[in-house]
């Protein structure tokens, strides 16, 4: 406690110039145990006036404390020791209107703290002492001095009394030295002070009487000064009136000057506006209007002049201030702009015809069947009109949007025809390749359909043809229609070789493409691409359903390696992956359903279910396809579903009324096969199910042994079973004296089971086991060994009962445990 006291003094009270007077360690506060130690501290301030405080201190961490609550000593109303007859660490303190129920770490600490608190209260608050109740420790009664009643003035003087300071004491002692007196000569000191006071009063009176004439002179000077001040006040009033007249004149001059300045500025502004209007009217010349009225949009050479004239008209309309549009000069010039509307109508007609004609021109070109015709020639033909399209965007937004709609309508039909033709050839190629591969593999005993290389080549062909078509169309639309896109692609082709493994799903890519690009490219490609990509995916799966595994892996790898996320081609990637993922999930769900539904239509011996080979083949194929793939997580989720479906199929088959095999045999044979399949592949996510399959195998073998081993020593078992029940009523040593459990009865029962009879029963049991299990089952010897252990445990229990109930009778079974072991071994070897 001394170390804690020193630590508290140093950390909490030394800087505040307080001294720790008493401390008590608390175990409980208000009935609640504290996880960390708390302390109640009593302190005194070091300077006058002395202040006594009570602190509740809490330990935050080792050797670190903080003040939680603080109270003044005058706030203490009562201290209760709770039980004066019995030493106890509990006590309570009432502070103002709060009562704290505390428990000290020891009675000694509590008593010491209360004693010190009592002393402090007696010393500093003798007239407002707290109530100390049930305190058994002896405390000194404070000596209270009752003051004698005095007049109110004297009482006030006593209350206002303050002790002398150090300086006052030094001055007093200096005065004593001057008078050459000591402290015990107070009367002589008072007399000397009185004499000095009288002499000083006389000197003051004489000084005042000698200065009467000077005082009168001072009064005369003051009267003269007052007269001068009055004269100055009159003069200042006169000057103030003059200044008011001057101020009014100056304000009038300033107002006239301000009006002249405003007039000058207005003239300058008017001149500037007039010059601006004249210059603005000159922007639109008659030549510009003539170019627009005679515009030949089909001639690339004249398009630049048309663009210049159109921009001049736009500048004239846009830059004319609204305040000047009422002027006759502007209205006369504006009346000539009707030619602009005619030009816009001719431009829209020309664009519509051009869009349709160029689409037909592309359609007529001759291309390879496994390729999509490129649109570079069509784009070059439209490029000269890009400036006019930009002018429409800035001046005629509704016309600009109508032009986009007409372009989309014509181009969408073009791409629909091109994609339909291309994917027709691709799907026919898939069918042809799958048929040829199936013929070759059927001759070698395999029928997996299209090879991985053939499928990968077809995917590369599809993506290789779609890439330049979509990318070039996007670049053309951005330039031709002046679409602002921060994510517009800058390279000619889309890189497929990046090692970036960032996850770019279909939705993630779509968010990265600029909204304007998406709104432009979506109507061009969405309908035609979605249907054809879905057709391509289904064609791949139709040749062989397992192709979806390879398709999913290849496309996921390409999406993850894509670096051109701003291209709409990336959205195409994402759309294809979504379609493939949907087919992948459908394929896995179908496989799970096949594993789950194992129907038996007639009584049959089950054995190993065909679904076990299907699951093993499915896992081997999936592991081969997904080797090194970043989408393995999706596969592992389906692994769990497939294994659960397989287990459901085992349980349904085991409980089927058409099964001739015992349910336990169906379970442990198939769960053992599942355990072997999962152990061969060593898939981490299936480790739990591998262990569960092993547990189910062992559990069902044990159940089979209990159900089918029976009781080879039936009468012996019934006899000892009755003995076991009798032991609950009478003592073991009295069993042999019961008539039905006598030694004669025991010998009679045992004699019915010689070694020959036991061996015969075990041979019949082995034949039944061979009949239940599949041929050449690896579990035959495992189950037979479990039966051997169960039989021996039965014999050991019989021997234990005979040792307890028939001691020293020398009665034993006809066969020993060694004989039984020999029977089991011989039977197993002979079969």
């Amino acid at each position: 406690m001394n170390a804690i006291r020193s630590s508290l003094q140093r950390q909490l009270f030394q800087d505040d110039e307080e001294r720790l007077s008493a401390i008590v360690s608390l175990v409980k506060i208000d009935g609640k145990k504290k996880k960390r130690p708390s302390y109640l501290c009593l302190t005194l301030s070091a300077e006058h006036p002395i202040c006594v405080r009570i602190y509740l201190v809490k330990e935050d961490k080792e050797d670190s404390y903080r003040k939680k609550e603080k109270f003044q000593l005058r706030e203490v109303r009562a201290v209760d020791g709770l039980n004066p007859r019995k030493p106890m660490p509990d006590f309570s303190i009432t502070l103002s209107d709060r009562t704290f129920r505390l428990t000290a770490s020891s009675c000694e600490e509590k008593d010491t703290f209360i004693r010190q608190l009592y002393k402090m209260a007696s010393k500093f608050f003798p007239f407002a002492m707290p109530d100390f109740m049930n305190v058994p420790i002896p405390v000194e009664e404070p000596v209270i001095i009752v003051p004698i009643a005095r007049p109110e003035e004297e009482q006030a003087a006593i209350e206002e009394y303050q002790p002398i300071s150090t300086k006052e004491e030094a001055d007093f002692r200096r005065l004593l030295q001057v008078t050459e007196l000591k402290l015990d000569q107070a009367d002589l000191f008072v007399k000397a002070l009185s004499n000095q006071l009288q002499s000083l009063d006389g000197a003051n009176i004489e000084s005042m009487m000698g200065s009467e004439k000077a005082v009168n002179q001072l009064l005369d000077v003051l009267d003269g000064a007052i007269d001068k001040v009055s004269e100055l006040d009159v003069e200042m009033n006169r000057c103030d009136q003059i200044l008011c007249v001057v101020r009014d004149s100056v304000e009038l001059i300033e107002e006239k000057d301000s009006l002249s300045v405003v007039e000058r500025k207005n003239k300058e502004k008017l001149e500037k506006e007039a010059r601006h209007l004249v210059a603005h009217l000159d922007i639109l010349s008659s030549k510009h209007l003539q170019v627009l009225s005679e515009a030949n949009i089909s001639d690339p050479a004249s398009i630049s002049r048309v663009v210049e004239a159109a921009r001049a008209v736009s500048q004239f309309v846009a830059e004319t201030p609204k305040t000047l549009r009422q002027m006759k000069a502007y209205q006369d010039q504006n009346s000539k702009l009707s030619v602009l509307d005619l030009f816009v109508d001719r431009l829209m007609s020309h664009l519509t015809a051009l869009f349709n004609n160029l689409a037909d021109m592309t359609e007529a070109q001759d291309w390879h069947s496994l390729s999509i015709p490129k649109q570079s020639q069509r784009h070059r033909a439209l490029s000269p009109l890009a400036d006019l399209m930009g002018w429409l965007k800035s001046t005629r937004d509704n016309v600009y949007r109508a032009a986009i709609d007409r372009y989309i309508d014509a181009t969408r039909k073009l791409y629909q025809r091109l994609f339909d033709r291309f994917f027709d050839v691709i799907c026919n190629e898939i069918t042809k390749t799958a048929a040829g591969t199936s013929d070759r593999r059927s001759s070698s005993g395999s029928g997996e359909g299209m090879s991985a290389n053939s499928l990968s080549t077809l995917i590369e062909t599809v993506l290789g043809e779609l890439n330049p078509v979509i990318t070039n169309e996007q670049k053309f639309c951005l330039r031709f229609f002046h679409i602002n896109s921060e994510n517009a692609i800058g390279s000619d082709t889309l890189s497929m070789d990046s090692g970036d493994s960032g996850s770019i799903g279909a939705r993630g890519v779509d968010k990265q493409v600029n909204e304007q690009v998406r709104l432009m490219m979506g109507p061009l490609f969405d309908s035609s691409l979605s249907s054809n990509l879905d057709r391509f995916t289904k064609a791949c799966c139709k040749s062989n359903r397992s192709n979806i595994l390879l398709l999913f892996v290849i496309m996921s790898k390409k999406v993850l390696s894509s670096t051109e996320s701003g291209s709409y081609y990336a959205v195409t990637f994402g759309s294809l992956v979504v379609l493939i993922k949907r087919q992948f999930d459908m394929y896995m769900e179908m496989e799970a359903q096949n594993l789950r539904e194992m129907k038996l239509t007639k009584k049959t011996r089950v054995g190993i279910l065909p679904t076990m080979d299907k699951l093993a083949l499915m896992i081997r194929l999936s592991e081969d396809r997904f080797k090194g793939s970043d989408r393995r997580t999706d596969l592992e989720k389906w692994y769990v579903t497939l294994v659960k479906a397989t287990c459901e199929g085992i349980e349904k088959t085991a409980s089927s009324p058409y099964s001739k095999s015992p349910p336990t045999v169906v379970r442990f044979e198939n769960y053992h096969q599942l355990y072997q399949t999962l152990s061969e592949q060593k898939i981490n996510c299936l480790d739990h199910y591998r262990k569960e399959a092993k547990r189910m195998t062992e559990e069902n073998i044990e159940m089979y042994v209990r159900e089918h081993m029976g009781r080879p020593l039936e009468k012996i078992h019934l006899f000892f079973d009755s003995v076991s029940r009798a032991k609950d009523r009478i003592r073991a040593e009295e069993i042999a004296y019961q008539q039905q459990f006598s030694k004669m009865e025991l010998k009679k029962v045992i004699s019915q089971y010689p070694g020959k009879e036991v061996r015969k029963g075990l041979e019949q049991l082995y034949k039944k086991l061979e009949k239940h299990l599949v041929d050449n089952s690896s579990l035959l010897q495992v189950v037979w060994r479990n039966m051997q252990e169960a039989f021996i445990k039965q014999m050991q229990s019989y021997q234990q009962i005979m040792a307890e109930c028939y001691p020293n009778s020398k009665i034993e079974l006809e066969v020993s445990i060694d004989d039984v072991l020999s029977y089991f071994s011989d039977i197993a070897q002979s079969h």
Side-chain angles (χ1 to χ4, degrees), residues 389-559:
M389 194 59 63
W391 173 76
L392 282 178
K393 180 178 181 181
S394 60
T395 59
R396 303 289 181 93
D397 184 67
N398 57 335
V399 179
Y400 166 76
R401 295 184 179 279
I404 291 179
D405 292 340
R406 294 181 184 182
Y407 177 81
I408 290 175
D409 185 59
T411 309
R412 180 180 62 244
K413 294 176 181 178
L414 168 65
Y415 282 124
Q416 181 71 53
R417 293 192 299 268
L418 296 179
F419 290 160
D420 288 347
R421 183 182 304 137
F422 172 72
F423 280 100
D424 284 342
V425 176
I426 287 292
C427 292
N428 291 334
E429 189 69 22
I430 292 174
T431 304
K432 187 187 304 181
T433 304
T437 305
S438 299
D439 292 340
R440 290 192 300 271
R441 292 190 175 181
S442 60
S443 61
S444 60
S446 175
E448 291 190 8
M450 186 185 301
S451 66
N453 290 334
S454 300
L455 185 59
S456 179
T457 302
L458 283 175
I459 294 174
E460 291 291 346
T461 301
V462 171
L463 299 181
E465 289 298 316
L466 290 177
N467 180 12
V469 172
I470 298 175
T471 303
N472 291 335
E473 184 64 35
Q474 177 177 333
K475 291 166 64 176
F476 168 74
C477 290
L478 292 177
R479 291 192 303 267
F480 185 73
F481 292 103
H482 298 268
I483 297 175
N484 298 323
S485 174
E486 297 177 358
N487 296 323
I489 59 173
S491 60
D492 292 335
T493 58
L494 185 66
S495 173
M496 298 294 177
D497 300 326
S498 171
D500 182 15
S501 60
S503 178
I504 307 177
R507 296 180 182 177
V509 171
D510 188 51
K511 290 180 180 179
Q512 295 180 40
V513 179
N514 183 274
E515 184 68 15
Q516 295 186 36
V517 177
R518 190 176 65 82
L519 293 176
M520 178 72 192
M521 304 302 292
L524 282 177
F525 296 110
D526 279 354
S527 59
S528 57
L529 265 181
S530 297
S531 59
N532 281 293
L533 289 176
D534 186 51
R535 187 157 63 106
F536 169 72
T537 304
K538 291 179 178 178
C540 292
C541 298
K542 184 177 180 181
S543 65
N544 189 342
R545 290 189 303 167
S546 64
N547 282 343
I548 193 64
L549 301 176
L550 184 60
L551 196 63
F552 184 46
V553 171
I554 294 175
M555 282 307 304
S556 298
K557 182 179 180 181
K558 290 189 175 297
V559 168

Side-chain angles (χ1 to χ4, degrees), residues 668-669 672 697 701 769 773 777-784:
F668 72 66
E669 283 190 326
H672 177 68
T697 301
I701 288 176
L769 177 61
L773 272 64
S777 174
S778 60
L779 294 176
L780 179 61
Q781 297 304 320
V782 175
V783 179
W784 184 243

